[in-house]
Amino acid sequence: PNGISVGEMDVGPGDLPILKLLARAEVAADLRRRGLGARLGNLVKEWLASASAVGLLSAPGTDPSTLLSAGRSMHRMWLAAHAHGFTLQPVGVVAYMIRHLGTPFDATYTPGELETLRAADRALTAQFPEVDRADRILLFRILRGAPRYAPTVRRPLAEVLIAG
């Protein structure tokens, strides 16, 4: 297993089949080619609307030590939230994707996808005006009294981190 289990995502019964289909690369590619798949965007909006609060992890710069420090901060915040009866849940990779607006990565997106990212960028800027686009790392929602889940099985540290 790798990543967050579906059981930890608080998805509704109608959303689980969507996520299973999108996990298949050929399905996601076909939806993208046809300009479909808006339900996934709606799902993210529903998740954010159902949250007790929404947060944005940010840090200046993209060097590995800064990102590692930001990850440690997120972990400490996650543990503190759980200790007080809250759950933190990452919300997709939108902050990461938005960071690439205006870069050569723009060429990987369709015009519709670019407009969606620009709209998301405007929304994040309105909600978090003090955070520069380049400093956004992870958007997350905070849920009060959410159920606690069993720890997710993780890959051994030696498989994902190389000491240098």
Side-chain angles (χ1 to χ4, degrees):
N2 191 10
I4 298 171
S5 72
V6 173
E8 292 179 80
M9 295 175 64
D10 189 32
V11 297
D15 297 324
L16 186 57
I18 294 169
L19 293 174
K20 285 183 177 184
L21 276 173
L22 288 174
R24 296 175 44 198
E26 71 275 11
V27 172
D30 189 52
L31 287 173
R32 184 176 189 219
R33 184 178 49 77
R34 294 177 187 216
L36 301 173
R39 176 69 185 117
L40 186 61
N42 293 339
L43 180 60
V44 170
K45 288 177 188 174
E46 290 170 15
W47 284 351
L48 291 174
S50 69
S52 299
V54 175
L56 179 66
L57 178 66
S58 64
T62 58
D63 63 275
S65 63
T66 296
L67 296 176
L68 189 59
S69 178
R72 281 192 208 109
S73 296
M74 184 70 189
H75 187 237
R76 285 191 301 272
M77 185 170 42
W78 196 311
L79 293 173
H82 276 276
H84 290 92
F86 292 90
T87 295
L88 300 185
Q89 182 183 60
V91 180
V93 295
V94 67
Y96 174 78
M97 293 169 71
I98 289 171
R99 287 173 71 140
H100 293 119
L101 287 173
T103 73
F105 285 106
D106 274 1
T108 64
Y109 300 114
T110 67
E113 290 167 340
L114 283 171
E115 184 46 43
T116 298
L117 287 174
R118 288 184 188 111
D121 181 38
R122 289 189 295 273
L124 282 177
T125 298
Q127 291 299 310
F128 302 96
E130 68 284 356
V131 181
D132 290 334
R133 174 193 299 159
D135 296 342
R136 298 176 191 152
I137 297 174
L138 179 68
L139 185 65
F140 58 93
R141 69 183 189 152
I142 303 170
L143 304 165
R144 179 184 287 281
R148 294 184 180 225
Y149 301 100
T152 302
V153 177
R154 300 290 184 203
R155 293 164 65 190
L157 188 59
E159 288 183 21
V160 295
L161 190 63
I162 297 170

